[in-house]
């Protein structure tokens, strides 16, 4: 099949809007309600919305053509040193043919031609298949955000980013994006010292004092009513993103060289450790001082028991429970009870039939 890309012209916007409506209803019914799909298509992918984006917001749309017939589309926006990949959608009949890979190559070419070293995108946190595809393409989770889009709906997304030329990265960028870096870098030393000073103040608070203001200075993002018992330790703080009503018992340690994204209503028992950082296995490289880090993601309503350790690159799905003393080395799906070293799934948790309470 001949695959090509063609920039959408003003006269083709109606055709693009029809294609978008079709694809959204083919694909997103798994993770979104019909009402939300209809609302989001009208708000973001109607002919009026696309015209507004292209004329006033810097978006560029391209058809993905199979034998000159549109089977999908992509949208980008060029920003400072980054290219924002806003959309990449294919009809159901066009999936599994390698077209997405060709689209990524096309987008990377545009980024390089425009001297952009990063491509970033947003993806629904529950779109697990697409997240895995992006990860295989070299994207890494660097942030999370919840956006109120009106009409009672929100977009609950990860922000993922890919580096095109690692040689252009600063040490902090290498650290965040999963490349070997030198922690002795002056900027990183300064940031660790700033975190230590805030932690010193936080851990010496009187029991009657509230540390929310310190946590807001320390952490990258802090949801409603966090409660972290002393003694709390982290390396940078700014790489930690915490949702609403987070609770961590005493002696929580988070080594946040890469991003640590924690959802809503999450509970940590005493002595829980989240470690994003690792060292080279061979002694010669290790002696040079290099480190490497991978992000950790903890979903909503997860409970980590006492002395649980979560290692670099792990994602724990929503509502799962990790038993005390477990060492989590690989991803744990949602709604599971898991335990052991290495941590393994014991059984699924029946969320539809909670235990009777008084």
């Amino acid at each position: 099949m001949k695959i090509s890309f063609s920039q959408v012209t003003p006269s083709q916007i109606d055709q693009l809007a029809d294609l978008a409506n079709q694809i959204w209803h083919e694909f997103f019914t798994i993770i979104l309600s019909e009402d939300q799909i209809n609302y989001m298509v009208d708000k973001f992918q109607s002919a009026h919305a696309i015209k507004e984006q292209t004329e006033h917001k810097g978006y560029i749309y391209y058809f993905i053509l199979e034998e000159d017939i549109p089977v999908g589309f992509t949208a980008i926006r060029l920003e400072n040193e980054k290219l924002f990949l806003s959309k990449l959608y294919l009809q159901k009949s066009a999936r599994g043919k390698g077209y997405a890979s060709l689209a990524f190559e096309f987008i990377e070419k545009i980024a390089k031609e425009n001297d952009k070293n990063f491509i970033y995108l947003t993806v629904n946190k529950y779109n697990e298949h697409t997240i895995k595809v992006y990860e295989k393409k070299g994207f890494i989770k660097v942030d999370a955000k919840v956006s109120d889009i009106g009409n009672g709906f929100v977009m609950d997304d990860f922000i993922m980013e890919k580096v095109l030329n690692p040689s252009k990265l600063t040490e902090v960028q290498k650290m965040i994006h999963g490349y070997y870096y030198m922690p002795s870098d002056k900027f990183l030393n300064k940031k660790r010292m700033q975190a230590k000073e805030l932690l010193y103040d936080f851990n010496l608070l009187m029991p009657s004092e509230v540390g929310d203001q310190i946590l807001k200075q320390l952490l990258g993002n802090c949801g409603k009513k966090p409660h972290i018992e002393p003694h709390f330790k982290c390396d940078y703080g700014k790489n930690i993103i915490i949702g609403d009503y987070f609770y961590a018992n005493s002696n929580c340690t988070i080594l946040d060289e890469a991003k640590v994204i924690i959802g809503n209503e999450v509970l940590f028992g005493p002595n829980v450790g989240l470690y994003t950082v690792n060292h080279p296995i061979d002694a010669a490289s290790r002696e040079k001082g290099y480190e490497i880090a991978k992000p950790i993601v903890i979903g909503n309503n997860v409970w980590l028991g006492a002395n649980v350790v979560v290692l670099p690159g792990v994602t724990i799905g929503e509502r799962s429970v990790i038993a005390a003393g477990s060492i989590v080395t690989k991803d744990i799906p949602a709604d599971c009870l898991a335990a052991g070293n290495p941590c393994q799934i014991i059984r699924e948790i029946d969320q539809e039939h909670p235990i009777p309470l008084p």
Side-chain angles (χ1 to χ4, degrees), residues 174-208:
K174 291 176 187 176
M175 183 178 77
I176 293 297
H177 290 88
Y179 294 92
Y180 280 104
Y181 67 95
M182 290 298 292
S184 57
D185 175 75
K186 288 183 179 179
F187 179 80
L188 293 178
N189 278 332
K190 177 182 176 181
K191 292 301 178 181
R192 287 196 301 273
M193 183 57 66
Q194 289 174 352
K196 286 179 180 178
E197 290 176 352
L198 289 168
L199 286 166
Y200 180 86
D201 292 340
F202 178 81
N203 287 317
L204 290 180
L205 288 172
M206 294 290 291
S208 59

Side-chain angles (χ1 to χ4, degrees), residues 271-284:
N271 303 308
V272 164
L274 273 56
Y275 308 143
T276 68
V277 65
N278 213 335
H279 302 275
I281 296 298
D282 65 284

Side-chain angles (χ1 to χ4, degrees), residues 86-145:
S86 174
K87 297 164 185 69
L88 175 53
Y89 298 131
L90 289 165
Q91 288 178 329
K92 188 176 182 179
S93 61
R95 294 172 202 154
K97 297 181 178 181
Y99 297 170
S101 294
L102 294 173
F104 278 118
E105 292 175 8
F106 173 72
I107 293 161
E108 287 187 21
K109 181 182 177 184
I110 294 174
K112 291 174 181 177
E113 289 173 348
N114 288 274
D115 198 29
K116 310 301 180 186
N117 198 31
F118 302 90
I119 298 174
Y120 79 98
L121 54 85
T122 60
V123 57
N124 188 288
K125 289 179 183 176
Y126 304 99
N127 196 346
E128 295 179 3
H129 171 75
T130 300
I131 291 170
K132 293 296 184 186
V133 170
Y134 290 147
E135 288 174 337
K136 288 180 180 178
K137 296 298 180 184
F139 287 83
I140 191 167
K141 300 183 186 83
V142 297
D143 209 341
K145 68 174 183 178

